[in-house]
Amino acid sequence: NAGVMQNPRHLVRRRGQEARLRCSPMKGHSHVYWYRQLPEEGLKFMVYLQKENIIDESGMPKERFSAEFPKEGPSILRIQQVVRGDSAAYFCASSPNFGAYEQYFGPGTRLTVT
Amino acid sequence: GESVGLHLPTLSVQEGDNSIINCAYSNSASDYFIWYKQESGKGPQFIIDIRSNMDKRQGQRVTVLLNKTVKHLSLQIAATQPGDSAVYFCAETPGNTPLVFGKGTRLSVIA
């Protein structure tokens, strides 16, 4: 049973470009969470999605950031017009049930904005 | 409050000794707590969890202690091995809100 998969593992973007990060949850999991981690810091919650629904986006910046989890395919975290401050590791976690329990993390995408 | 940009606290232990990593949590309504291990360049890996109706839970070589009175959580690792070197995070939630992660502690095992 494959774990949570994220791609790309590393992404380099110039300021002003768009970044698209993908997350495929574990088989049988329909709940996805996105977190951001700056160097030497803990993970900060961004958004919680269920298939075709955003459940909680309280941690996501109001501008330039969006997330989706379509009926088919991976969850996508999209960052428009990236700035240097967006450089971070972005982690996706999935769970089989509603709520924060039993979250399994992917390997992350390291975004570097030059 | 949270601190931004500070270096992680580091715990150095000799191989074979026991390690104790501490975490203070902030939300008295939290009823579920998890310890994660994060190795360099990887995602957090679940170690052990505990619910608020317990004060101790044991796994393989790891024990989590919960003191709700002072809102304190600890992770004990028995017979620490070089492979235990990583950053350890505690996380908390009341259950219907997102996990809140602590700042982390870097464990360094000296062979």
Side-chain angles (χ1 to χ4, degrees):
Chain A
N1 186 16
V4 177
M5 298 175 68
Q6 290 187 248
N7 68 81
R9 296 293 311 278
H10 300 274
L11 182 61
V12 179
R13 285 286 177 267
R14 291 200 192 96
R15 280 179 296 170
Q17 291 185 319
E18 178 181 287
R20 279 186 180 237
L21 288 63
R22 294 175 184 77
C23 169
S24 296
M26 287 180 70
K27 187 176 179 182
H29 288 193
S30 59
H31 300 259
V32 164
Y33 310 79
W34 284 95
Y35 294 84
R36 176 163 62 178
Q37 184 178 38
L38 295 173
E40 300 287 293
E41 292 191 14
L43 282 73
K44 298 283 172 44
F45 168 78
M46 298 181 73
V47 61
Y48 167 29
L49 309 107
Q50 202 180 354
K51 287 278 187 183
E52 299 184 280
N53 282 312
I54 296 175
I55 307 299
D56 183 346
E57 56 183 345
S58 59
M60 198 151 70
K62 297 273 187 285
E63 296 179 354
R64 303 188 298 107
F65 286 73
S66 62
E68 62 176 11
F69 190 14
K71 189 176 179 182
E72 301 290 338
S75 174
I76 306 281
L77 178 67
R78 182 179 176 211
I79 311 173
Q80 294 178 287
Q81 298 175 325
V82 296
V83 301
R84 287 223 172 100
D86 297 331
S87 295
Y90 292 83
F91 290 97
C92 165
S94 73
S95 69
N97 302 306
F98 180 82
Y101 307 117
E102 291 187 81
Q103 291 188 30
Y104 299 88
F105 283 83
T109 293
R110 275 143 191 87
L111 172 66
T112 301
V113 179
T114 62
Chain B
E2 295 180 345
S3 298
V4 176
L6 295 181
H7 293 294
L8 292 173
T10 298
L11 175 67
S12 296
V13 298
Q14 290 285 342
E15 182 179 357
D17 287 353
N18 296 335
S19 303
I20 300 177
I21 300 171
N22 297 305
C23 176
Y25 64 93
S26 55
N27 188 350
S28 56
S30 289
D31 68 351
Y32 180 64
F33 306 86
I34 313 174
W35 280 100
Y36 284 95
K37 172 186 180 183
Q38 187 177 25
E39 296 174 279
S40 181
K42 297 184 179 180
Q45 176 187 357
F46 173 92
I47 303 173
I48 191 167
D49 60 0
I50 188 168
R51 294 186 185 266
S52 59
N53 61 352
M54 304 173 70
D55 52 23
K56 180 179 179 178
R57 189 159 186 232
Q58 287 185 289
Q60 191 173 19
R61 279 204 308 122
V62 294
T63 301
V64 55
L65 299 177
L66 174 62
N67 185 331
K68 295 181 288 293
T69 303
V70 296
K71 292 191 285 189
H72 184 266
L73 196 66
S74 70
L75 176 70
Q76 300 178 0
I77 304 174
T80 313
Q81 302 168 1
D84 295 326
S85 294
V87 177
Y88 290 81
F89 293 98
C90 64
E92 59 172 303
T93 177
N96 57 355
T97 60
L99 283 173
V100 175
F101 281 77
K103 286 191 285 288
T105 297
R106 188 182 308 280
L107 176 64
S108 179
V109 180
I110 304 163

